[in-house]
Amino acid sequence: NEIALQGIKSCNKHADFIANRTRHIIENQTAINKKEFDMAPMFGDRKMSKLYFSSGRDESTGRGKDPRTGEGYMDLWVSELDKKGNWTEPYLVNGEAINTIDNEGTVCFDSRYKKMFFTRCPNIKKSNLGCDIWYSEAKGKAEWKEPVKIELKEHDSISIGHPATIDGKYLIFASDMPGGFGGRDLWYTSYDKKADTWSVPKNMGPDINTKKNELFPTFALNGDLIYASDGL
């Protein structure tokens, strides 16, 4: 079984990972974190002084608890660096209908930080609805316009999310749409400004995807694609 063999390889590599640790220092950002899930951080300006992230903390917009997590429904939050270099108390992203009773998360921006893409997962009982990617444009320096859903799938049950972009025109995302290699794969689409449409999604292929799950793509500052996989 290919998946089992990959698992064995991962176990065998564990000793190498421990022996060849990097010199990175990990510190808990206590000024930002709460007891609930805080995830998918992304800088929202060129100075890297605004940190956007998703959280299901009690102050979120949605009422009740998400049955999958037992916590509040997730919203998009922002924390800013003060003059002393400390992260301030997070606040909800300002904008028209950015945060709703649904789950919002995994945000990304174009290089000018004028376009924002994020995932929204509907909260409708007894409905098998997948997530979608939504798009919003900046409205001044600290607010966002009402978002628009990007139409990329053929059926509501398909899930699309975790957007990643550099220029706001070429978008990589994770999805369980048909035609993949198994689980969730990474796909890409391109924006046609003249037609005001996104191209039919294409799979990123076996060099990227596996029979299991590929998620959370993001671009490093040098343009490298970084993502999570439990199939490698």
Side-chain angles (χ1 to χ4, degrees):
N1 183 289
E2 184 178 335
I3 294 174
L5 292 174
Q6 290 290 357
I8 293 171
K9 287 182 180 178
S10 296
C11 291
N12 291 335
K13 285 183 176 181
H14 179 260
D16 292 336
F17 293 152
I18 297 299
N20 298 290
R21 294 182 181 180
T22 69
R23 292 180 291 175
H24 294 87
I25 298 172
I26 309 298
E27 295 182 0
N28 192 327
Q29 298 301 305
T30 54
I32 299 176
N33 294 322
K34 297 286 186 180
K35 66 181 186 299
E36 299 86 9
F37 285 128
D38 302 304
M39 58 178 284
M42 180 65 66
F43 288 116
D45 65 338
R46 287 193 178 97
K47 296 180 180 179
M48 296 185 180
S49 62
K50 290 185 178 181
L51 188 69
Y52 285 65
F53 65 97
S54 310
S55 179
R57 56 190 63 192
D58 292 340
E59 299 85 357
S60 294
T61 307
R63 295 179 179 179
K65 301 293 184 181
D66 186 333
R68 292 172 296 182
T69 65
E71 298 182 356
Y73 290 94
M74 304 196 84
D75 277 348
L76 295 178
W77 294 76
V78 186
S79 177
E80 299 187 31
L81 277 178
D82 61 20
K83 294 181 179 179
K84 295 182 179 180
N86 299 315
W87 292 107
T88 60
E89 181 69 19
Y91 58 88
L92 287 165
V93 171
N94 295 317
E96 303 171 25
I98 297 295
N99 288 313
T100 67
I101 61 172
D102 298 328
N103 280 306
E104 283 86 26
T106 49
V107 63
C108 72
F109 303 87
D110 70 336
S111 59
R112 297 173 63 242
Y113 298 93
K114 298 295 185 182
K115 299 177 181 179
M116 176 173 71
F117 302 83
F118 64 92
T119 307
R120 175 175 290 162
C121 300
N123 168 29
I124 302 177
K125 293 182 178 180
K126 298 181 180 180
S127 298
N128 182 26
L129 298 177
C131 305
D132 289 285
I133 295 174
W134 291 68
Y135 157 76
S136 176
E137 293 184 351
K139 183 180 180 181
K141 293 184 178 181
E143 195 171 352
W144 296 91
K145 296 180 180 178
E146 185 172 352
V148 177
K149 183 169 69 173
I150 299 177
E151 301 293 344
L152 294 172
K153 62 190 188 183
E154 298 179 354
H155 195 277
D156 287 344
S157 63
I158 296 172
S159 192
I160 289 176
H162 302 181
T165 189
I166 294 178
D167 59 5
K169 300 175 182 178
Y170 177 79
L171 193 68
I172 293 177
F173 60 90
S175 177
D176 60 357
M177 62 176 56
F181 291 86
R184 281 174 167 78
D185 280 1
L186 297 190
W187 300 71
Y188 69 92
T189 180
S190 298
Y191 179 67
D192 185 332
K193 184 176 181 179
K194 186 176 182 180
D196 191 24
T197 58
W198 291 85
S199 64
V200 175
K202 293 184 179 180
N203 192 283
M204 297 197 72
D207 290 338
I208 297 290
N209 295 311
T210 68
K211 292 183 178 180
K212 296 194 76 177
N213 296 295
E214 280 65 49
L215 299 167
F216 296 106
T218 188
F219 286 103
L221 294 178
N222 66 356
D224 286 350
L225 176 65
I226 302 171
Y227 62 98
S229 174
D230 59 2
L232 294 174

